[in-house]
Amino acid sequence: MKVGIIGANGYGGAELLRLLQKHPFVQVEEIISHSTQGKHITEQYPHLNSFYNQTIGKLEIREIASKVDILFFATPSGISNEILPQFFEQGKTCIDLSGDFRLIQDKTYEKWYKKKHSSPSYLKQAVYGLTEVYREKIKDAQLIANPGCYPTAALLGITPVLKAKWIEPSTVVIDGKSGVSGAGRNPILGSSYAEINENMKAYKLGSHQHIPEIEQIINEISGASTTISFTTHLIPMTRGIMCTIYANLTEKVTTQEVIDLYKSTYQNDPFIRIRSANKWPATKEVTGSNFCDIGVLIDERTNRLIIVSVIDNLVKGAAGQAVQNMNVMNGWDETTSLHLTPLFP
Amino acid sequence: MKVGIIGANGYGGAELLRLLQKHPFVQVEEIISHSTQGKHITEQYPHLNSFYNQTIGKLEIREIASKVDILFFATPSGISNEILPQFFEQGKTCIDLSGDFRLIQDKTYEKWYKKKHSSPSYLKQAVYGLTEVYREKIKDAQLIANPGCYPTAALLGITPVLKAKWIEPSTVVIDGKSGVSGAGRNPILGSSYAEINENMKAYKLGSHQHIPEIEQIINEISGASTTISFTTHLIPMTRGIMCTIYANLTEKVTTQEVIDLYKSTYQNDPFIRIRSANKWPATKEVTGSNFCDIGVLIDERTNRLIIVSVIDNLVKGAAGQAVQNMNVMNGWDETTSLHLTPLFP
Amino acid sequence: MKVGIIGANGYGGAELLRLLQKHPFVQVEEIISHSTQGKHITEQYPHLNSFYNQTIGKLEIREIASKVDILFFATPSGISNEILPQFFEQGKTCIDLSGDFRLIQDKTYEKWYKKKHSSPSYLKQAVYGLTEVYREKIKDAQLIANPGCYPTAALLGITPVLKAKWIEPSTVVIDGKSGVSGAGRNPILGSSYAEINENMKAYKLGSHQHIPEIEQIINEISGASTTISFTTHLIPMTRGIMCTIYANLTEKVTTQEVIDLYKSTYQNDPFIRIRSANKWPATKEVTGSNFCDIGVLIDERTNRLIIVSVIDNLVKGAAGQAVQNMNVMNGWDETTSLHLTPLFP
Amino acid sequence: MKVGIIGANGYGGAELLRLLQKHPFVQVEEIISHSTQGKHITEQYPHLNSFYNQTIGKLEIREIASKVDILFFATPSGISNEILPQFFEQGKTCIDLSGDFRLIQDKTYEKWYKKKHSSPSYLKQAVYGLTEVYREKIKDAQLIANPGCYPTAALLGITPVLKAKWIEPSTVVIDGKSGVSGAGRNPILGSSYAEINENMKAYKLGSHQHIPEIEQIINEISGASTTISFTTHLIPMTRGIMCTIYANLTEKVTTQEVIDLYKSTYQNDPFIRIRSANKWPATKEVTGSNFCDIGVLIDERTNRLIIVSVIDNLVKGAAGQAVQNMNVMNGWDETTSLHLTPLFP
């Protein structure tokens, strides 16, 4: 199959190039970027030397559509809702890594993204690409809204106990911590080395666009209709997201029972690894890989469950999960080109 | 006044040396370390060259007591409860940076520190040295239990709303994040560069010894008797602690009202800086200084208060607050030798 | 005395604010920045909260000149050569942290800075502010060309053996390594966290504008007329410069003899610290301070001298040396407001 | 083929496990570590979960030899010279990642490693495993002395001009810079996070054991008999080595001619990538991969050649090159299991 990547200059795009390079069933035919068109891809990304030998193209929809079967949109929010439908209408498989098709309601999108959605009628066509939870729907989808990085870590961390109704959804607090690569490759003061290094900051408290995304899925899974607390912190590292999740228990369970529940829930999911009791995952243990590692604890003193969930934000939180979804959509082994050993240390 | 530092080889000890070097009313007479006695201090800490010209001494209690008036114990837990009383009985002012005298009950100490306390009768002599909260008691104390780094950030962050009874203590969740220097200078695998860099990990979940310390003070301030959730995470940075605090509100207040409450509570506290609405403190904005910077938000969707509190763990979280307490105990201006501009970037 | 800072929004400007804040003989009257005028200084630099309470002004030369006695130019290259002369002509003391007045020949400036110099006649008025070497001339100067960060580390490292004629100038190789803050606060891709962290790169090889600056002084000190090799590397850290210097020996000397030469050359220089044999300075041992720490080695196998010289690029390499020069120019103790203990760790 | 790894607990061992896991022709049969025997491999390295499911064994030579065909020694120096010969004598293929068999003279080993060599008669059996230079000899070898990390970067950087005799060997200066993982996994103060982060230090100047290794090969390639300057610096990053190399030219050549020479020398070497003029490789552009990227410059002012060479110290500088050599020895495609895209950012 022939693949095109729209928005290839960002880190998500570069990561798609890394992952697709070894994929036996696809070939990257088109590498598109608005800001760097005309440059050779290795000028932008010297590490890709000897893997890709192409010039970055411009967005000519008709021409691209004539050449590729599958499109990845690794664009900032607000782009794909304009252009994706044109590819969709020509029957192309569309996998959108941006937030444009994740929220069911365009009003919610407008409120949190501060933009009008230009293609609201396509929202119901989109399947939310949290593979482990929505695999069956993904198989038949033509348009995937690939989950946000934080929501991936948060939702994979909380899904088993939500489904089992062992926690009270309204008490959920999710403290999110992220490396800097999630902010994209565009140089801004807030991502400058001297501002990030030896520093830690909270940001977008109460207003992060991943809040409605997480709530939407939590409510869908639990059947509840509630609000949760979700906060975001910038950590001086490049890759990695950790969500520490707190929730009040609805029944008396032990740590081992929770571990067993997680292992059983994810028994057929090759990218979920559950830690044993009193072991906690570290972000570096998943770097460069598509894993989501999870540790849990029942804190008997407070009758709360504490969950720690980690991913590589550029892989399971973006490009890796996108490729995973492509594999599922095409009936290929879900781990194709994704069975990568994390790079440690 | 003459000062002695017991445990000078750790980072807390080194930071005491930095801060006391400019103090107009004291002189560091004795620099004691079990592990490095006999070495010149600049061999251990070349950065102190041209500031100190002393050899690290050994712990000879009688001799030290004959020379100094004030003792700082920058020792690991389990040491000062053995030796501090001997100095105390000779009328020396004792400031303990370890956890040995912070918990009122020796049984609690035994449970969380996994050690027997050898001097339980002195626990009631100790005043908890959270300066902004216990200043009046500190003035008359002879033995200060200098607060832990996490408890300092957490308690300064939550005290105003606890006192005002605007939050429900039993709903408090404190997500703590720390740089690595808090683990001390002893080389262990878990603090090795290659294990920490580009990595983030949760640790000691449910069992951190700062849990009972925070609860003890929260209960003392609020009059409640409750348990709270407190977790700890290791962040790839050297200095800095951030506590993100969540609590359910007991009444309807606005972000600005909370800010006003904090400003008024801390109006006479030179080391507390309150951010304006929608501004969040970053750890680097306090690096090298004795400040605690705090930002708050009312999240109307969830009816929760979110507080972000940051300190330099080696200064306000250890050596700086110790010097602040020494200043208060001696009737000196509280900011003496501590009015330091943070080092940014 | 009243001081004005032109270009206060960069890191050099912020560092001047930190250092001048405690200076007993001056007061910062004007904080000027083209890009952030009208904002409160603590909006740009929250860490300065409770130290400065001013709004950033715009560059109105006449008005500023009427208010201040001393001007620091912390502007990018190409600015001060336009505006500094107007202050100079009104008798103001001018200390330029940029490269505009460092090179004696305007043709050399034009060649390496790729700009025409608009005030070449002032170049001979400027005194090169490498305090330890040109202290006597600085005392009588009205215009100081404050040295570049790399040249400060390189020249302090090599001056004693150049003067003693123990090395062959034409064999000098200087391998420079710098933290990122030297690149300024302007966000560019090359200083983004994700591009710098866990990365190391050489840059501007053969074309760095500090090459002619270093050569000019080496030739002035040695009486030679030669070229040297100087390279620059970006290191994943915020502050700190190290120069590793190699040179062939002209006579047979021991490491200890070189150490003695350095100690004697710098015996009256409070900011130079010479390491003993087989000890090497680390950049963190000078962080936040005005020190230059130096270690030397005679490598008998190759008959070469190796010198390692470190500074904090924002202090001794910029703002600190500028304040040091101001102190010298005014007859104040050279260490006024600069006797700072490095922040370690 | 069955493979055993002796010294699997270090980072070199962990990297071998990562690389061999995907190798189609070998299987890791034995994972041996003195310090962690009896533990499950995922206890030591949680990132290997779902890739390896073995317990770390102890060193029982007879038993291991009965099970495996190929042995990797990822031990600290001083171990393999004791045990490797016993495997060698049983006809096993031995690839030693330590320095024990790299130096031709046991006296040189003794002088620089400060240890007596216990098996000097085997030194002449060992082939120096710098694949690109000694490929033909490697094909027939039974014992490979896998090159040191610094020597790999330095020698690949300098070989083409040495062979072409375009530089004067006695003028060679190599400034080496390394991430911290090269120091191994054993916790020591010098590799602690708080001592390394935001810091840069020179170490082992004039005494690094890689000096004789580099000189031996330089002299072998050039036919000269000379000494060179080689220095080492610790950089705050986990992976990556850069060597900046300086040498006087023996004839007048242009930068482009040097680039052409390098491209032609390495035209059949899949892991060497030469940058075009005025482009410099960064360490992160090879992270996680077996590449050595090289940039060169003729500095006409000084008539010197400057070379910048980068590798991932754990891959091309250790485990990757070891696997590359195994491939060559067995007649497999040299890139088997090594054609890895660097992880950027």
Side-chain angles (χ1 to χ4, degrees):
Chain A
M1 295 249 193
K2 306 245 158 134
V3 161
I5 299 172
I6 317 288
N9 192 47
Y11 294 133
E15 200 65 353
L16 280 169
L17 288 169
R18 178 174 77 95
L19 297 173
L20 293 173
Q21 193 276 325
K22 298 260 179 309
H23 202 291
F25 309 135
V26 306
Q27 193 189 329
V28 178
E29 190 71 18
E30 292 281 336
I31 302 177
I32 307 297
S33 164
H34 180 69
S35 58
T36 56
Q37 53 172 280
K39 291 193 175 177
H40 196 273
I41 184 66
T42 62
E43 209 176 326
Q44 289 309 102
Y45 283 116
H47 73 287
L48 294 178
N49 212 304
S50 92
F51 295 95
Y52 287 93
N53 190 11
Q54 282 158 276
T55 295
I56 300 170
K58 61 191 279 198
L59 183 62
E60 288 176 344
I61 293 177
R62 189 183 302 249
E63 200 192 313
I64 295 168
S66 74
K67 289 189 189 161
V68 308
D69 310 294
I70 302 169
L71 280 139
F72 291 93
F73 298 83
T75 41
S77 68
I79 309 289
S80 63
N81 80 73
E82 302 271 2
I83 58 175
L84 183 148
Q86 303 176 57
F87 290 99
F88 184 89
E89 288 304 328
Q90 298 188 49
K92 305 298 171 190
T93 296
C94 295
I95 301 176
D96 183 19
L97 283 76
S98 87
D100 279 16
F101 292 92
R102 293 181 199 148
L103 300 173
I104 293 166
Q105 307 286 342
D106 62 325
K107 277 177 300 184
T108 316
Y109 179 85
E110 202 176 326
K111 178 182 168 196
W112 291 88
Y113 284 81
K114 321 276 184 218
K115 299 171 189 169
K116 247 194 136 47
H117 199 289
S118 64
S119 314
S121 64
Y122 290 84
L123 290 173
K124 54 183 161 303
Q125 315 258 21
V127 171
Y128 189 71
L130 190 65
T131 328
E132 286 74 12
V133 178
Y134 295 105
R135 189 180 284 115
E136 291 311 310
K137 291 168 93 175
I138 292 165
K139 283 180 183 167
D140 302 323
Q142 188 197 334
L143 163 49
I144 294 291
N146 213 56
C149 46
Y150 283 117
T152 297
L155 293 168
L156 290 175
I158 204 168
T159 291
V161 282
L162 271 182
K163 283 187 172 165
K165 300 200 181 298
W166 287 3
I167 59 166
E168 177 55 58
S170 69
T171 65
V172 170
V173 169
I174 304 174
D175 189 281
K177 304 152 186 85
S178 176
V180 183
S181 59
R185 207 187 191 199
N186 240 24
I188 53 167
L189 179 59
S191 318
S192 285
Y193 186 84
E195 307 278 325
I196 292 289
N197 181 43
E198 264 295 282
N199 200 2
M200 179 169 36
K201 44 186 166 186
Y203 67 105
K204 284 197 188 180
L205 293 199
S207 65
H208 198 288
Q209 71 276 12
H210 287 164
I211 292 175
E213 182 179 338
I214 294 172
E215 279 180 355
Q216 174 177 296
I217 307 299
I218 282 185
N219 285 333
E220 194 171 310
I221 293 173
S222 68
S225 171
T226 191
T227 54
I228 54 108
S229 286
F230 168 66
T231 59
T232 45
H233 304 79
L234 212 45
I235 302 296
M237 41 191 270
T238 300
R239 288 172 182 248
I241 276 184
M242 176 182 284
C243 284
T244 310
I245 307 170
Y246 309 82
N248 290 359
L249 291 163
T250 55
E251 37 189 304
K252 206 159 176 55
V253 287
T254 66
T255 296
Q256 192 53 50
E257 285 169 325
V258 181
I259 290 173
D260 292 343
L261 173 68
Y262 275 67
K263 288 198 168 168
S264 127
T265 305
Y266 291 126
Q267 60 185 319
N268 296 317
D269 293 304
F271 295 119
I272 312 286
R273 305 188 295 191
I274 309 300
R275 288 286 185 286
S276 56
N278 293 314
K279 301 281 182 189
W280 304 100
T283 56
K284 202 172 210 173
E285 290 162 7
V286 299
T287 296
S289 82
N290 200 47
F291 290 106
C292 175
D293 284 11
I294 301 170
V296 299
L297 174 80
I298 296 296
D299 185 9
E300 292 180 6
R301 298 172 52 262
T302 57
N303 200 36
R304 284 203 189 99
L305 169 63
I306 303 176
I307 306 162
V308 177
S309 170
V310 303
I311 58 168
D312 181 326
N313 57 308
L314 294 179
V315 190
K316 184 62 178 169
Q321 188 157 240
V323 172
Q324 187 182 1
N325 285 326
M326 177 188 74
N327 289 340
V328 171
M329 293 165 96
N330 286 282
W332 302 325
D333 182 328
E334 194 169 317
T335 66
T336 308
S337 98
L338 290 175
H339 197 245
L340 303 163
T341 322
L343 195 69
F344 183 96
Chain B
M1 293 248 194
K2 306 244 158 133
V3 161
I5 299 172
I6 318 289
N9 192 47
Y11 294 133
E15 201 64 352
L16 279 169
L17 288 169
R18 179 175 76 96
L19 298 173
L20 293 173
Q21 193 275 324
K22 297 259 179 312
H23 201 292
F25 309 136
V26 305
Q27 193 190 330
V28 178
E29 190 71 19
E30 292 280 336
I31 301 177
I32 307 297
S33 163
H34 180 69
S35 58
T36 56
Q37 52 173 280
K39 290 191 176 179
H40 195 273
I41 183 66
T42 61
E43 209 176 327
Q44 290 308 103
Y45 283 115
H47 72 287
L48 294 179
N49 212 305
S50 91
F51 295 95
Y52 286 94
N53 190 11
Q54 281 157 276
T55 295
I56 300 170
K58 62 191 278 198
L59 183 61
E60 288 176 342
I61 294 177
R62 190 184 302 249
E63 200 193 313
I64 296 168
S66 74
K67 290 188 188 161
V68 308
D69 312 293
I70 301 170
L71 280 139
F72 291 93
F73 297 83
T75 41
S77 68
I79 308 288
S80 64
N81 80 73
E82 302 271 2
I83 58 175
L84 183 148
Q86 304 177 54
F87 291 98
F88 183 88
E89 288 305 329
Q90 299 189 48
K92 305 298 171 189
T93 296
C94 295
I95 301 176
D96 183 20
L97 282 77
S98 86
D100 278 15
F101 291 92
R102 293 180 198 149
L103 300 173
I104 293 166
Q105 306 285 342
D106 61 327
K107 277 177 299 183
T108 316
Y109 179 85
E110 202 176 324
K111 178 180 169 197
W112 291 87
Y113 283 82
K114 321 275 185 219
K115 297 172 191 171
K116 245 192 140 45
H117 199 288
S118 64
S119 314
S121 65
Y122 289 84
L123 291 173
K124 54 184 161 303
Q125 315 258 21
V127 171
Y128 190 70
L130 189 65
T131 328
E132 286 74 12
V133 178
Y134 295 106
R135 189 179 284 116
E136 291 310 309
K137 290 168 93 175
I138 291 165
K139 283 181 183 167
D140 302 324
Q142 191 199 332
L143 163 49
I144 294 292
N146 213 56
C149 46
Y150 283 117
T152 297
L155 294 168
L156 291 176
I158 204 169
T159 291
V161 281
L162 271 182
K163 283 187 173 167
K165 300 200 180 297
W166 287 3
I167 59 167
E168 179 55 59
S170 69
T171 64
V172 170
V173 169
I174 304 173
D175 189 282
K177 303 151 187 86
S178 176
V180 182
S181 59
R185 207 187 192 197
N186 240 27
I188 53 168
L189 179 60
S191 319
S192 284
Y193 187 84
E195 306 279 325
I196 292 288
N197 181 43
E198 264 296 281
N199 200 2
M200 179 168 37
K201 44 187 166 185
Y203 68 106
K204 284 197 189 179
L205 292 199
S207 64
H208 198 289
Q209 71 277 10
H210 287 165
I211 293 176
E213 182 179 337
I214 295 172
E215 279 180 355
Q216 174 177 296
I217 307 300
I218 282 185
N219 284 334
E220 193 171 311
I221 294 174
S222 67
S225 170
T226 191
T227 54
I228 55 108
S229 286
F230 168 67
T231 59
T232 45
H233 304 79
L234 211 45
I235 301 296
M237 41 190 269
T238 301
R239 288 171 181 247
I241 276 184
M242 176 182 284
C243 284
T244 311
I245 306 170
Y246 309 82
N248 289 0
L249 290 163
T250 55
E251 40 188 301
K252 206 158 175 58
V253 287
T254 65
T255 296
Q256 192 54 49
E257 285 169 326
V258 181
I259 290 173
D260 292 343
L261 173 68
Y262 275 66
K263 288 199 167 167
S264 126
T265 305
Y266 290 126
Q267 60 186 319
N268 296 316
D269 294 304
F271 295 119
I272 312 287
R273 304 188 295 190
I274 309 301
R275 289 287 184 284
S276 55
N278 293 313
K279 301 280 183 189
W280 305 100
T283 56
K284 203 173 208 172
E285 291 162 6
V286 299
T287 295
S289 82
N290 200 47
F291 290 106
C292 175
D293 284 10
I294 300 170
V296 299
L297 174 80
I298 295 296
D299 185 9
E300 291 179 6
R301 296 171 52 264
T302 57
N303 200 35
R304 284 203 188 99
L305 169 64
I306 303 177
I307 306 161
V308 176
S309 170
V310 302
I311 58 167
D312 182 325
N313 57 308
L314 295 179
V315 190
K316 184 62 179 169
Q321 188 156 240
V323 171
Q324 186 182 1
N325 285 327
M326 176 187 75
N327 288 339
V328 170
M329 293 165 96
N330 286 281
W332 301 326
D333 181 328
E334 195 170 317
T335 65
T336 309
S337 97
L338 290 175
H339 198 245
L340 303 162
T341 323
L343 195 69
F344 183 96
Chain C
M1 293 247 193
K2 306 242 158 134
V3 160
I5 298 173
I6 318 290
N9 192 46
Y11 294 133
E15 200 64 355
L16 279 169
L17 288 168
R18 178 174 77 96
L19 297 173
L20 293 173
Q21 193 276 325
K22 298 259 179 312
H23 201 292
F25 309 135
V26 305
Q27 194 190 329
V28 177
E29 190 71 19
E30 292 281 335
I31 300 176
I32 307 297
S33 163
H34 180 70
S35 58
T36 56
Q37 51 173 282
K39 291 192 175 177
H40 196 272
I41 183 66
T42 61
E43 209 176 326
Q44 290 307 103
Y45 283 116
H47 73 287
L48 294 179
N49 213 305
S50 93
F51 296 95
Y52 287 94
N53 191 10
Q54 282 157 276
T55 295
I56 300 170
K58 64 191 276 199
L59 183 61
E60 288 176 343
I61 294 177
R62 191 185 301 248
E63 200 192 313
I64 296 168
S66 75
K67 289 189 189 162
V68 307
D69 311 293
I70 301 169
L71 280 139
F72 290 93
F73 298 83
T75 41
S77 67
I79 309 289
S80 63
N81 80 74
E82 302 270 2
I83 57 174
L84 183 147
Q86 304 176 55
F87 290 100
F88 183 88
E89 288 304 327
Q90 298 188 49
K92 304 299 172 190
T93 296
C94 295
I95 300 176
D96 183 19
L97 283 75
S98 86
D100 279 15
F101 291 93
R102 292 181 199 149
L103 299 173
I104 293 167
Q105 307 286 342
D106 62 325
K107 277 177 299 182
T108 315
Y109 179 85
E110 202 175 326
K111 178 181 168 196
W112 291 87
Y113 283 83
K114 321 276 185 220
K115 297 172 191 170
K116 246 192 137 46
H117 199 288
S118 64
S119 315
S121 65
Y122 290 84
L123 290 173
K124 52 182 162 303
Q125 314 260 19
V127 171
Y128 189 69
L130 189 65
T131 328
E132 285 74 12
V133 177
Y134 295 104
R135 190 180 283 115
E136 290 310 310
K137 289 167 94 174
I138 293 166
K139 283 181 182 167
D140 302 323
Q142 191 198 332
L143 163 49
I144 294 292
N146 213 55
C149 47
Y150 283 118
T152 296
L155 293 168
L156 291 175
I158 204 169
T159 292
V161 282
L162 271 182
K163 282 187 173 166
K165 301 199 179 298
W166 287 2
I167 59 166
E168 177 56 57
S170 69
T171 65
V172 169
V173 169
I174 305 173
D175 190 282
K177 305 153 186 83
S178 176
V180 182
S181 59
R185 207 186 191 198
N186 240 27
I188 54 168
L189 179 59
S191 321
S192 285
Y193 187 83
E195 307 277 325
I196 292 288
N197 181 42
E198 263 297 281
N199 199 2
M200 178 168 37
K201 45 186 165 185
Y203 68 105
K204 284 198 189 178
L205 293 199
S207 64
H208 198 289
Q209 70 277 10
H210 286 165
I211 293 176
E213 182 180 337
I214 295 172
E215 279 180 355
Q216 174 177 295
I217 307 300
I218 281 186
N219 285 334
E220 194 171 310
I221 293 174
S222 67
S225 170
T226 192
T227 53
I228 55 107
S229 286
F230 168 66
T231 59
T232 45
H233 304 80
L234 213 45
I235 302 295
M237 41 190 269
T238 301
R239 288 171 181 246
I241 275 184
M242 175 182 286
C243 285
T244 311
I245 307 171
Y246 308 82
N248 289 1
L249 290 164
T250 55
E251 38 188 302
K252 205 158 178 56
V253 287
T254 65
T255 296
Q256 192 53 49
E257 284 169 326
V258 180
I259 291 173
D260 292 344
L261 172 69
Y262 275 66
K263 289 199 167 167
S264 127
T265 304
Y266 291 126
Q267 62 185 319
N268 296 317
D269 293 304
F271 294 119
I272 312 287
R273 304 189 295 191
I274 309 301
R275 288 287 185 285
S276 56
N278 293 313
K279 302 281 183 188
W280 304 101
T283 56
K284 203 172 210 175
E285 291 162 6
V286 300
T287 295
S289 80
N290 201 46
F291 290 106
C292 175
D293 286 9
I294 302 170
V296 299
L297 173 80
I298 295 296
D299 185 9
E300 292 180 5
R301 297 172 52 264
T302 57
N303 200 35
R304 283 201 190 99
L305 169 64
I306 303 177
I307 306 161
V308 176
S309 170
V310 302
I311 59 168
D312 181 324
N313 58 307
L314 295 179
V315 190
K316 184 61 179 170
Q321 189 157 239
V323 172
Q324 186 183 1
N325 285 326
M326 176 187 75
N327 288 340
V328 171
M329 293 165 96
N330 286 282
W332 301 326
D333 182 329
E334 195 169 317
T335 65
T336 309
S337 97
L338 290 175
H339 198 244
L340 303 163
T341 322
L343 195 69
F344 184 95
Chain D
M1 294 250 192
K2 306 245 157 133
V3 161
I5 299 173
I6 318 289
N9 192 46
Y11 294 133
E15 200 64 354
L16 279 169
L17 289 168
R18 178 174 77 94
L19 297 173
L20 293 173
Q21 193 276 323
K22 297 259 179 311
H23 201 292
F25 309 134
V26 305
Q27 192 189 330
V28 178
E29 190 71 19
E30 292 281 336
I31 302 177
I32 307 297
S33 164
H34 180 70
S35 58
T36 56
Q37 51 173 282
K39 291 192 175 177
H40 195 273
I41 183 67
T42 61
E43 208 176 327
Q44 290 308 103
Y45 283 115
H47 72 287
L48 293 179
N49 213 305
S50 93
F51 296 94
Y52 286 94
N53 190 10
Q54 283 157 275
T55 295
I56 301 171
K58 62 191 277 199
L59 183 62
E60 288 175 345
I61 293 179
R62 191 183 302 247
E63 200 192 313
I64 296 168
S66 74
K67 289 189 189 161
V68 309
D69 310 294
I70 301 169
L71 280 139
F72 291 93
F73 299 82
T75 41
S77 66
I79 308 289
S80 63
N81 80 74
E82 302 270 4
I83 57 175
L84 183 147
Q86 304 176 55
F87 290 99
F88 184 89
E89 287 305 328
Q90 299 187 49
K92 304 298 171 190
T93 296
C94 295
I95 301 176
D96 183 20
L97 283 76
S98 86
D100 278 16
F101 291 92
R102 292 181 200 149
L103 299 174
I104 294 166
Q105 307 286 341
D106 62 325
K107 277 177 299 184
T108 315
Y109 180 84
E110 202 176 325
K111 178 182 168 195
W112 291 87
Y113 283 82
K114 321 276 183 221
K115 297 172 190 169
K116 246 192 138 45
H117 199 289
S118 64
S119 314
S121 64
Y122 290 84
L123 290 174
K124 54 182 162 305
Q125 314 260 19
V127 171
Y128 190 70
L130 190 64
T131 328
E132 286 73 13
V133 177
Y134 295 105
R135 190 180 284 114
E136 291 310 309
K137 290 167 93 176
I138 292 165
K139 283 180 184 167
D140 302 323
Q142 190 198 331
L143 162 50
I144 294 291
N146 212 55
C149 46
Y150 282 117
T152 297
L155 293 168
L156 291 175
I158 204 168
T159 291
V161 281
L162 272 182
K163 283 186 173 166
K165 300 201 180 298
W166 287 2
I167 58 167
E168 177 56 56
S170 68
T171 64
V172 169
V173 169
I174 304 174
D175 189 282
K177 305 153 186 82
S178 177
V180 182
S181 58
R185 208 187 191 199
N186 239 27
I188 54 168
L189 179 59
S191 320
S192 284
Y193 187 84
E195 306 278 325
I196 292 288
N197 181 43
E198 263 297 279
N199 199 1
M200 178 169 36
K201 44 186 166 184
Y203 67 105
K204 284 198 189 177
L205 292 200
S207 64
H208 198 288
Q209 70 277 11
H210 287 165
I211 293 176
E213 182 180 339
I214 295 172
E215 279 180 356
Q216 174 177 297
I217 307 300
I218 282 186
N219 284 333
E220 193 172 310
I221 293 174
S222 67
S225 170
T226 191
T227 54
I228 55 107
S229 286
F230 169 66
T231 59
T232 45
H233 304 79
L234 213 45
I235 301 295
M237 41 191 269
T238 300
R239 289 170 180 249
I241 275 184
M242 175 181 286
C243 285
T244 311
I245 306 171
Y246 308 82
N248 289 1
L249 291 164
T250 55
E251 37 189 302
K252 206 160 177 54
V253 287
T254 66
T255 295
Q256 192 53 49
E257 284 169 326
V258 180
I259 290 173
D260 292 343
L261 173 69
Y262 274 68
K263 289 199 167 167
S264 128
T265 304
Y266 291 125
Q267 62 186 318
N268 296 317
D269 294 303
F271 295 119
I272 312 286
R273 304 188 295 191
I274 309 301
R275 288 286 185 285
S276 56
N278 293 314
K279 300 283 183 187
W280 304 102
T283 56
K284 201 172 211 173
E285 290 162 7
V286 299
T287 295
S289 82
N290 200 47
F291 290 106
C292 175
D293 284 11
I294 301 170
V296 298
L297 174 79
I298 295 296
D299 186 9
E300 292 180 5
R301 297 171 54 261
T302 57
N303 199 36
R304 284 203 189 98
L305 169 64
I306 303 176
I307 306 161
V308 176
S309 171
V310 302
I311 59 168
D312 182 324
N313 57 308
L314 294 179
V315 190
K316 185 61 179 170
Q321 188 157 240
V323 172
Q324 187 182 0
N325 285 327
M326 177 188 74
N327 289 339
V328 170
M329 292 165 97
N330 286 282
W332 302 325
D333 182 328
E334 195 170 317
T335 66
T336 309
S337 98
L338 290 175
H339 197 243
L340 303 162
T341 322
L343 194 70
F344 184 95

